[in-house]
Amino acid sequence: MSVVQRITQLRAELERHNQAYYVLDAPRIPDAEYDKLFRELQTLEAQHPQLITPDSPTQRIAGKVLDGFAPVQHAVPMLSIHTETDTESSGAANFDARVKNALDVQGGEIEYNCELKFDGLAINLRYERGILVQAATRGDGETGEDVTQNIRTIKSIPLRLQNCDVDVLEVRGEAYMARKDFNQYNDRQRALGLPTLVNPRNAAAGTIRQLDPALSAKRPLSFFAYGLGEVKGWTLPVTHSALLDALQLFGLPVCQVREVVQGAASLADFHQRVAAMRDELPFDIDGVVYKVNSRAMQLDLGFVSREPRWAVAHKFPAEEQLTTVRDIEIQVGRTGKLTPVAKLEPVFVGGTTVSNATLHNEGEIRRKDVHVGDTVIVRRAGDVIPEVVGVLPERRPANARAFVMPATCPVCGSHVVRAEDEADARCSGGLFCAAQRKQAILHFAGRRAMDIEGLGDKLVEQLVDENLIHSLPDLYRLDRTTLAALERMADKSAHNIVAALEKSKRPTLARFIFALGIRNVGETTAKDLARFFGSLSNVQAADTAALQQVPDVGPIVAQSVFDFFRETHNVEVIADLLGSCGLVVQESAGSSAQVLPLTGKTYVLTGTLPNMSRDEAKSRLEALGAKVAGSVSKKTDCVVAGAEAGSKLDKARELNVRVWDEAVLLQHLNEWERSVFKGEYEN
Ligand code: IVH
């Protein structure tokens, strides 16, 4: 094979993998394999620079630092769309009425394509004979900026279209930053003490208008196509929905949340359903867009004042609002962490009234320069807790007050400590601190821990404040009369709580370990510890080396567990719970550890199994003592693969891990379950 042929082959293959990974979200080869192909191409191109073309995957991050962006005249202007912020049904109904009126439609319903309104930056991609030749921002609609270099770093944007050699095809869409990428970037920046990005929308805009493409490449963006600009040499599909299908076939990313519907009522219905799932989407949206589906009708409808009459944006409540900071208070968490919380002038944002927003830690307050009295931007997106994302310094009043982290805990007066390499300040009071005690009790009683129904924050607050509970064992000494004497507590509820306490006295080992609230020990680690050690005394006795034998337990977790059981107070609490309180930890289920057929084995499930749900497979494996992990490693004993299994299956093959299909799994499950049932593995 000639060098030219090999280069062409490598480029095609790499772009196919890019597409699989970034557009279809289903990687087909392991990263290492991709890197190998990429390096081979880089080497060949270095040896034959005359063969480098702009559509080569190596050219995505090859740009130079720019002085500025060249202007780009849009062949077809980039318009904006009319926005309806009205209540749910009337926004859709108004639009539908305008369309019907303009088209003079009497009976019957209009067909619409419903889409999401992505919250990013509008981009025009220009493909000539299938090759990406230019990318531009919207600018004023007539003239935008040439941002080709930065757009090339967006891996989901094909540099060459598939099955498309149309003379000119301008594709319009939105560049955005996914929430996961936004959070990851900010977490990393925060850990390094560097400035964070304000919101995904600004992040996208800032990244695209970045002069150094190497910096752009560090901030991963994504793209969704939603329309066209100039087109030459292509007969357009007759509907907008068919156009999106066609763009998808060219390899462009098109959002799968889209629907063809008839009439105004269905538009309102779409709006409502999308509003309900807004929090779960992996990216920010600020509304939905309705478009008349028929292109012929679109042409008929035309434009008014630079807005198409055939499309409308129907917005959702904003996820960011301005408000003022009344005060900054300190909240003390279960592990003593002190979190500064902004007390806000209540404001309606992201669908609820917000009056508190986290400021994370002292460093974050310094970086954002938040003062009491400031006007701030509050953000509540997804189900994330509300956050202060920035300050409007020009609105700072003269009497604004800077924040000072107190030297002593505002709840218990113990001194506040902050390790040199840690961002968080902590109260050193431990369970002497009422705030930590309240949180520890709430955690202990929680649904995933001891599951003591009815023991909520209001009640715990009262119990601690009235000195009825000093530590966990006191819970089990509460009686009905004491409880019933509390404010807002009826005799019946008092009875229920005593019953719930009684019912909680036989926890599994895993729940009990989790309930203790050991730092760095979440539910999964608690399960792992229980499974590995089988009994509480074994966990208590383990040294850090033994603890690190547990799969997924590293030095930090091992140290936390070890330290916890060396603390006299903790040992006393446990002895008291198991002694005078009468708790009996169900060790036989836990010490399944030594006795169940899959004890110590790690399974990974991937793809869709033909008959069994993933949850079912998982719980049956776990009931047999296996650990079901999310990723494949050398420690994995077996991978169970169903249809469309992706990178995990590849990884399993690469590491020579055993792979089963559902039939084989079922055969084994049945056998093991029978043997356990017969008591073969029981004590
Ligand atoms: S269509 C002629 N569809 O919203 C119609 N726009 O004012 C052109 N946007 O900044 C726009 N999602 O970037 C359309 N599914 C979608 C959209 C969308 C977001 C943005 C667009 C522009 C603004 C429209």
Side-chain angles (χ1 to χ4, degrees):
M1 187 186 303
S2 73
V3 172
V4 177
Q5 280 172 326
R6 179 61 183 156
I7 283 184
T8 314
Q9 193 182 41
L10 284 168
R11 283 177 188 161
E13 196 171 339
L14 285 165
E15 280 296 88
R16 249 198 337 274
H17 292 312
N18 260 343
Q19 152 95 12
Y21 193 93
Y22 291 102
V23 184
L24 307 174
D25 217 5
R28 282 189 293 211
I29 54 165
D31 293 354
E33 198 55 34
Y34 180 92
D35 293 344
K36 215 170 92 191
L37 296 173
F38 194 87
R39 275 196 305 272
E40 184 184 345
L41 179 59
Q42 272 181 324
T43 311
L44 288 177
E45 286 181 347
Q47 288 161 355
H48 308 276
Q50 76 281 7
L51 297 179
I52 299 177
T53 57
D55 66 318
S56 173
T58 58
Q59 301 306 296
R60 285 193 185 272
I61 44 167
K64 295 187 191 64
V65 178
L66 303 173
D67 311 325
F69 299 103
V72 173
Q73 195 71 30
H74 294 300
V76 175
M78 286 181 83
L79 305 176
S80 60
I81 30 182
H82 181 74
T83 301
E84 292 278 351
T85 37
D86 247 341
T87 55
E88 254 131 63
S89 55
S90 66
N94 292 346
F95 171 59
D96 183 58
R98 285 199 304 272
V99 168
K100 279 182 157 171
N101 190 29
L103 292 174
D104 207 11
V105 171
Q106 309 294 343
E109 299 289 7
I110 305 283
E111 183 172 280
Y112 295 102
N113 189 62
C114 304
E115 300 169 18
L116 304 182
K117 189 168 187 302
F118 314 108
D119 204 4
L121 190 71
I123 295 290
N124 184 67
L125 302 176
R126 186 176 174 92
Y127 288 92
E128 290 178 5
R129 305 204 67 83
I131 308 242
L132 178 69
V133 294
Q134 187 184 62
T137 59
R138 173 166 178 257
D140 62 4
E142 302 288 339
T143 313
E145 289 178 315
D146 186 333
V147 289
T148 315
Q149 267 201 163
N150 288 339
I151 288 297
R152 281 179 183 287
T153 67
I154 304 180
K155 301 268 193 9
S156 60
I157 294 184
L159 299 177
R160 175 197 282 271
L161 297 176
Q162 291 164 15
N163 317 312
C164 173
D165 65 348
V166 175
D167 291 335
V168 173
L169 181 69
E170 286 189 353
V171 177
R172 289 181 179 169
E174 198 88 348
Y176 67 93
M177 188 178 275
R179 287 184 181 154
K180 177 170 65 65
D181 293 325
F182 173 79
N183 291 331
Q184 250 169 30
Y185 182 85
N186 273 357
D187 286 348
R188 216 174 30 230
Q189 292 288 101
R190 226 172 255 138
L192 296 170
L194 294 170
T196 48
L197 298 164
V198 170
N199 57 32
R201 185 197 152 76
N202 284 18
T207 304
I208 284 171
R209 301 203 65 263
Q210 179 51 251
L211 290 167
D212 180 356
L215 286 179
S216 292
K218 287 205 185 98
R219 301 179 183 179
L221 297 187
S222 307
F223 180 84
F224 280 134
Y226 56 61
L228 294 178
E230 188 182 27
V231 177
K232 281 188 194 158
W234 190 42
T235 316
L236 265 59
V238 295
T239 60
H240 184 73
S241 53
L243 165 68
L244 295 181
D245 292 340
L247 295 180
Q248 204 167 325
L249 287 175
F250 292 157
L252 285 153
V254 177
C255 181
Q256 290 315 299
V257 185
R258 55 186 168 106
E259 272 173 38
V260 176
V261 305
Q262 327 281 330
S266 315
L267 295 180
D269 180 58
F270 180 79
H271 184 270
Q272 208 163 22
R273 278 181 291 124
V274 172
M277 68 178 201
R278 184 186 191 187
D279 284 2
E280 273 94 64
L281 289 170
F283 44 81
D284 280 7
I285 56 172
D286 56 352
V288 293
V289 179
Y290 313 131
K291 295 174 184 171
V292 171
N293 204 23
S294 151
R295 270 195 46 80
M297 284 187 187
Q298 287 185 5
L299 291 173
D300 257 8
L301 285 160
F303 299 86
V304 260
S305 63
R306 311 190 46 75
E307 289 174 352
R309 243 194 300 234
W310 46 265
V312 80
H314 195 174
K315 290 254 201 167
F316 291 143
E319 290 180 324
E320 287 184 358
Q321 289 293 350
L322 289 183
T323 188
T324 53
V325 177
R326 288 173 167 177
D327 200 1
I328 297 179
E329 285 181 2
I330 297 289
Q331 224 164 53
V332 186
R334 174 167 63 83
T335 57
K337 180 184 163 189
L338 303 186
T339 305
V341 176
K343 298 286 167 183
L344 306 168
E345 193 59 46
V347 61
F348 192 72
V349 51
T352 47
T353 302
V354 168
S355 40
N356 298 312
T358 182
L359 289 162
H360 297 287
N361 56 48
E362 198 180 358
E364 195 73 359
I365 296 184
R366 296 277 164 274
R367 273 191 293 283
K368 287 178 180 156
D369 191 27
V370 184
H371 284 47
V372 174
D374 271 346
T375 298
V376 293
I377 304 166
V378 187
R379 177 177 171 80
R380 182 190 171 273
D383 45 13
V384 194
I385 39 174
E387 200 185 17
V388 168
V389 293
V391 171
L392 274 65
E394 66 279 11
R395 296 216 202 160
R396 173 166 297 162
N399 62 353
R401 179 158 53 82
F403 170 78
V404 192
M405 183 58 93
T408 56
C409 171
V411 176
C412 73
S414 301
H415 61 274
V416 167
V417 290
R418 180 168 157 192
E420 224 169 272
D421 53 348
E422 275 191 31
D424 298 324
R426 284 176 197 281
C427 158
S428 60
L431 290 179
F432 168 74
C433 175
Q436 291 190 53
R437 226 178 313 146
K438 285 176 193 170
Q439 294 301 324
I441 293 167
L442 278 172
H443 173 82
F444 183 81
R447 200 169 47 79
R448 293 166 173 283
M450 303 292 280
D451 195 18
I452 307 172
E453 217 175 304
L455 203 68
D457 48 3
K458 292 277 176 326
L459 179 56
V460 170
E461 183 100 30
Q462 279 191 71
L463 291 168
V464 171
D465 289 346
E466 305 203 4
N467 275 324
L468 291 168
I469 299 188
H470 296 96
S471 76
L472 297 173
D474 292 341
L475 270 177
Y476 291 94
R477 299 185 187 112
L478 289 169
D479 58 40
R480 190 165 163 177
T481 332
T482 316
L483 283 166
L486 291 170
E487 235 177 278
R488 285 190 304 267
M489 178 66 73
D491 187 54
K492 178 87 173 85
S493 342
H495 167 78
N496 290 345
I497 286 166
V498 173
L501 280 161
E502 199 54 41
K503 206 176 118 201
S504 74
K505 284 186 179 173
R506 296 176 62 81
T508 61
L509 178 56
R511 277 178 178 268
F512 187 72
I513 294 175
F514 176 59
L516 291 173
I518 306 169
R519 206 170 152 194
N520 300 315
V521 176
E523 212 183 351
T524 311
T525 308
K527 276 188 197 167
D528 291 347
L529 290 167
R531 205 175 286 134
F532 189 88
F533 289 105
S535 75
L536 186 63
S537 48
N538 285 349
V539 185
Q540 271 185 288
D543 59 16
T544 52
L547 287 161
Q548 285 187 66
Q549 296 296 306
V550 181
D552 296 338
V553 170
I556 293 176
V557 176
Q559 194 65 49
S560 301
V561 177
F562 182 81
D563 291 347
F564 182 89
F565 290 113
R566 298 300 158 303
E567 178 75 54
T568 323
H569 172 81
N570 294 333
V571 176
E572 283 167 7
V573 163
I574 294 169
D576 211 359
L577 286 170
L578 302 179
S580 60
C581 299
L583 261 66
V584 183
V585 178
Q586 298 309 105
E587 299 190 331
S588 59
S591 74
S592 60
Q594 269 75 42
V595 289
L596 287 171
L598 297 185
T599 297
K601 303 280 183 214
T602 304
Y603 279 67
V604 172
L605 301 168
T606 178
T608 316
L609 301 179
N611 300 300
M612 237 192 299
S613 77
R614 199 183 274 235
D615 277 346
E616 186 194 343
K618 182 167 183 239
S619 64
R620 284 175 72 177
L621 285 164
E622 283 180 343
L624 289 161
K627 174 179 162 65
V628 177
S631 61
V632 179
S633 75
K634 282 192 304 246
K635 291 190 189 171
T636 310
D637 295 286
C638 179
V639 170
V640 180
E644 278 153 47
S647 58
K648 291 179 196 168
L649 180 55
D650 297 332
K651 185 88 186 261
R653 298 219 165 101
E654 188 188 318
L655 295 173
N656 257 328
V657 171
R658 184 163 29 145
V659 178
W660 283 354
D661 63 9
E662 187 194 63
V664 181
L665 174 71
L666 273 172
Q667 206 181 328
H668 281 90
L669 282 177
N670 290 337
E671 243 167 65
W672 287 321
E673 284 163 359
R674 244 195 322 272
S675 72
V676 170
F677 186 67
K678 280 201 315 230
E680 257 173 57
Y681 288 92
E682 273 169 346
N683 292 327

